[in-house]
């Protein structure tokens, strides 16, 4: 086994390390020594795919053997960056087709950083090839894709970690342990979640020829093919329902997944949603700029609200969740949390953990989310720990599926104009033919939609 720099094998030190190790629900140790050097590939070399890969390189002995992307310019640039970051200094093999990458390389880990409409096929094929998978959220664009991903993970006995790294965020782990689990909130009977970021790209770029370096056919894959109006990355694709599930699927999933984890919630009993394009009507974007949703549990409603216009309800918590308990209230975001007790008692504040001194290379990485980097490192360590101990990771694919599918159900409810009840055992919406017709999106040929019984 290669000897690693100890500094690159440690969890976040001090108090945050103790918090993480005591609440991640794994057998992780303060010094994590991987059993081997992992052979790794990344499918989708955009901003967040590279960010995930660089965090993995920072905490484990890995050999990045292959990268895949339909944008040859971005792919080559990613190869050069990886060569500078990984210990061997080797440029990985570069592929435009993920099927060839998986066929030609024996991999331990595949990171899926492609757009949402590709997550299911990339992850399932990677599992079938023998790899464990780290897949970005949301895991799927329809509910049956998610069901098939869970089935594949169980069939091939692979560890699949979803990139819902709030579960590995030090200050949120602290909040779960020392506020929620400690009983400071008492009974929680109302939750609010929100996103008020002005993040809905909108415009009217002209249709133009596809550049020679970009394989638009492969990028589009199973999704409908829109007229080409410029490179869909960065973020342009997120503004179209053809490739994802809007701000609900992109941002609500993080907050709802965290709330479910903190409160030990499973599938919601019923999901309802209203919204649409109320303000930003001038461009091509077809995702909702305004949306509310309710995820119902016994004596508990989890309420979501997003607006991509106007001002946030609370400027300190523009993307956040609020747990209302009989004994107090917990405000929490990716940046901090605040506990406010009911009546007399001490307010508790905790800020995000940064690791700028420990990982100085973070400071020069383009577009890095410095607040998320420590969480993603912990998330990768939890992923590796699950691989080596054959256990479920903290963000197991089944949990990611419940959170993803719930957000998809909200969009379905908004479209149909009525509440929906999903039966996860039967994998159908109860007594709703129209809703069941939306559980699978039509795939563009020659791609075949994955099914639970055929993965």
């Amino acid at each position: 086994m290669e000897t690693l720099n100890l500094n690159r094998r440690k969890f976040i030190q001090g108090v945050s390390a103790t918090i993480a190790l005591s609440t991640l629900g794994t057998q992780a140790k303060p010094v994590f020594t991987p059993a081997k050097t992992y052979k790794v590939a990344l499918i989708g070399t955009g901003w967040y795919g590279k960010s995930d890969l660089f965090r993995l390189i920072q905490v484990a002995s890995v050999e990045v053997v292959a990268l895949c992307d339909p944008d040859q310019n971005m792919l080559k640039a990613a190869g050069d960056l990886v060569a500078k970051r990984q210990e061997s200094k080797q440029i990985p093999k570069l592929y435009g087709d993920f099927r060839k990458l998986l066929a030609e390389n024996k991999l331990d880990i595949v990171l899926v950083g492609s757009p949402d409409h590709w997550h299911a096929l990339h992850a399932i094929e990677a599992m079938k090839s023998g790899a464990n998978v780290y897949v970005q959220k949301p895991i799927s664009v329809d509910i049956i894709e998610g069901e098939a991903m869970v089935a594949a993970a169980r069939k091939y006995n692979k560890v699949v970690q979803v990139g819902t790294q709030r579960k590995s965020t030090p200050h949120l782990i602290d909040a779960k342990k020392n506020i929620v689990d400690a009983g400071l909130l008492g009974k929680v009977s109302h939750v609010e979640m929100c996103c008020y970021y002005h993040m809905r790209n909108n415009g009217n770029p002209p249709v133009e020829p596809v550049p020679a370096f970009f394989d638009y056919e492969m990028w589009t894959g199973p999704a409908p093919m829109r007229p080409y109006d410029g490179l869909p990355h960065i973020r342009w694709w997120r503004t179209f329902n053809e490739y994802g599930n809007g701000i609900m699927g992109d941002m609500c999933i993080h907050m709802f997944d965290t709330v479910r984890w903190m409160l030990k919630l499973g599938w919601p009993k019923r999901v309802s949603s209203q919204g649409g394009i109320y303000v930003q009507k001038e461009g091509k974007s077809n995702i909702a700029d305004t949306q509310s949703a309710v995820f119902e549990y016994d004596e508990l409603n989890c309420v979501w609200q997003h607006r991509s216009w106007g001002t946030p309800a609370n400027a300190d918590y523009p993307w956040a969740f609020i747990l209302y308990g009989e004994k107090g209230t917990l405000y929490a975001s990716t940046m901090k949390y605040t506990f406010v007790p009911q009546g007399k008692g001490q307010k508790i504040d905790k800020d995000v953990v940064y690791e700028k001194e420990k990982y100085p290379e973070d400071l020069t990485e383009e577009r890095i989310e410095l607040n998320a980097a420590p969480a993603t490192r912990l998330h990768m360590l939890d992923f590796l720990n699950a691989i080596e101990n054959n256990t479920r990771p903290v963000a197991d694919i089944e949990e990611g599926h419940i959170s993803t599918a719930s957000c998809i159900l909200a969009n379905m409810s908004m479209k149909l104009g009525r509440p929906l009840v999903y039966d996860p055992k039967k994998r159908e919406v109860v007594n709703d033919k129209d809703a069941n017709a939306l559980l699978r999106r039509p795939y563009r040929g020659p791609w075949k939609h994955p099914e639970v019984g055929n993965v």
Side-chain angles (χ1 to χ4, degrees):
M1 184 185 76
E2 289 187 22
T3 301
L4 296 179
N5 182 331
L6 279 176
N7 190 49
R8 302 252 181 220
R9 284 196 258 139
K10 293 181 180 178
F11 278 108
I12 294 173
Q13 297 181 354
V15 175
S16 58
T18 303
I19 294 164
L21 295 170
S22 64
T23 59
L24 279 176
T26 71
Q27 302 170 16
K29 299 176 181 179
V31 178
F32 185 86
T33 307
K36 65 176 185 177
T37 296
Y38 290 89
K39 294 187 180 298
V40 177
L42 169 64
I43 301 174
T45 63
W47 163 47
Y48 229 88
K50 291 195 295 288
S51 181
D52 285 338
L53 180 59
F54 294 156
R55 304 293 80 75
L56 178 61
I57 290 172
Q58 287 176 322
V59 298
S61 177
V62 300
E63 179 188 354
V64 184
V65 298
L67 304 173
C68 181
D69 203 282
D71 183 328
Q72 294 300 307
N73 289 350
M74 194 160 69
L75 179 64
K76 183 182 182 304
D80 293 340
L81 283 173
V82 171
K84 293 176 182 176
R85 297 290 287 260
Q86 69 172 338
E87 190 173 338
S88 69
K89 304 304 178 187
Q90 294 295 308
I91 296 177
K93 289 179 278 187
L94 306 179
Y95 293 87
D97 190 325
F98 74 99
R99 295 166 296 186
K100 188 175 181 184
L101 179 153
L102 294 174
E104 293 183 358
N105 299 278
K106 181 64 177 175
L107 300 161
D108 300 304
I109 293 171
V110 170
L111 307 182
V112 177
S114 49
D116 298 354
H117 68 280
W118 265 118
H119 286 177
L121 291 183
H122 285 163
I124 291 170
E125 291 305 311
M127 285 183 253
K128 290 168 74 171
S129 77
N132 299 289
V133 173
Y134 185 102
V135 60
Q136 262 306 327
K137 59 81 220 166
I139 66 162
S140 63
V141 293
D142 69 43
I143 291 175
I144 298 303
E145 279 187 342
E147 297 282 10
M149 293 168 79
V150 175
R154 304 303 181 242
K155 177 179 179 178
Y156 299 106
N157 192 30
K158 294 302 172 185
V159 175
V160 182
Q161 178 87 304
V162 179
T164 46
Q165 75 272 34
R166 305 285 81 83
K167 292 175 177 176
S168 297
T169 300
H171 70 277
L172 295 179
I173 294 170
D174 179 282
K176 175 173 167 51
K177 179 184 178 183
N178 295 316
I179 305 297
V180 181
D181 294 349
L184 271 62
L185 291 172
K187 181 182 178 183
V188 176
S189 290
H190 186 71
V191 172
E192 293 176 4
M193 307 168 289
C194 66
C195 181
Y196 298 111
Y197 291 157
H198 291 191
M199 58 181 292
R200 181 179 177 270
N201 281 11
N202 200 16
N204 289 287
V207 173
E208 60 183 82
V210 179
F213 63 83
F214 184 57
D215 187 344
Y216 192 42
E217 175 70 36
M218 179 57 78
W219 185 92
T220 302
M225 180 169 275
R226 293 184 60 255
Y228 181 82
D229 53 8
L231 291 172
H233 47 283
I234 303 167
R235 297 201 70 85
W236 182 234
W237 66 269
R238 288 193 177 278
T239 205
F240 296 102
N241 285 313
E242 286 87 339
Y243 313 124
N245 278 287
I247 296 171
M248 173 67 66
D250 187 20
M251 304 300 276
C252 179
I253 181 178
H254 268 303
M255 294 300 135
F256 184 53
D257 186 81
T258 309
V259 168
R260 288 186 48 248
W261 165 64
M262 286 199 171
L263 300 181
K264 301 180 177 65
L265 302 174
W267 285 93
K269 295 179 65 176
R270 189 167 72 157
V271 178
S272 57
S273 181
Q274 305 81 35
I277 304 174
Y278 293 170
V279 177
Q280 299 167 328
K281 302 175 182 287
E282 68 280 1
K284 292 183 178 182
S285 174
N286 58 19
I287 65 171
D289 66 6
T290 309
Q291 189 170 357
S292 303
V294 181
F295 306 93
E296 297 179 36
Y297 293 88
D298 290 334
E299 299 184 347
L300 168 66
N301 287 340
C302 298
V303 180
W304 168 261
Q305 173 67 55
H306 79 245
R307 278 185 282 104
S308 55
W309 52 271
T311 58
N314 182 337
D316 290 332
Y317 288 94
W319 179 37
F321 63 88
I322 308 167
L323 307 183
Y324 291 94
E326 58 185 334
K327 297 180 182 179
T329 302
L330 176 67
Y331 300 81
S333 73
T334 62
M335 301 302 297
K336 59 185 176 180
Y337 79 73
T338 301
F339 168 69
V340 181
Q342 177 75 23
K344 294 181 179 180
Q346 180 139 6
K347 188 171 91 166
I348 302 172
D349 293 290
K350 188 83 69 171
D351 287 331
V352 67
V353 170
Y354 291 104
E355 296 183 300
K356 299 175 185 179
E357 295 79 15
K358 187 176 179 184
Y359 297 98
E361 63 270 28
D362 287 0
L363 299 176
T364 58
E365 184 176 316
E366 185 179 1
R367 299 187 68 213
I368 188 173
E369 289 181 329
L370 287 171
N371 65 298
T376 303
R377 282 188 280 265
L378 274 178
H379 217 44
M380 290 296 179
L381 286 167
D382 180 83
F383 176 45
L384 294 169
N385 183 76
I387 292 171
E388 297 196 358
N389 290 284
N390 194 29
T391 56
R392 300 276 170 84
V394 69
D396 176 64
I397 183 64
E398 186 171 0
E399 294 303 316
H401 169 51
I402 295 172
S403 296
T404 297
S406 297
C407 292
I408 293 172
L409 284 166
N411 282 344
M412 290 167 55
S413 171
M414 180 176 66
K415 180 175 183 176
L416 295 172
R418 55 181 174 269
L420 302 177
V421 175
Y422 184 69
D423 184 338
K425 292 183 179 178
K426 294 182 178 180
R427 302 187 183 97
E428 64 181 30
V429 179
V430 177
N431 298 325
D432 198 320
K433 183 179 178 181
D434 294 336
N436 284 315
L438 299 176
L439 294 179
R440 293 170 182 81
R441 290 194 185 188
Y443 265 28
R444 195 174 66 97
W447 307 100
K448 302 294 185 184
H449 197 292
E451 298 292 335
V452 170
N454 187 27
V455 290

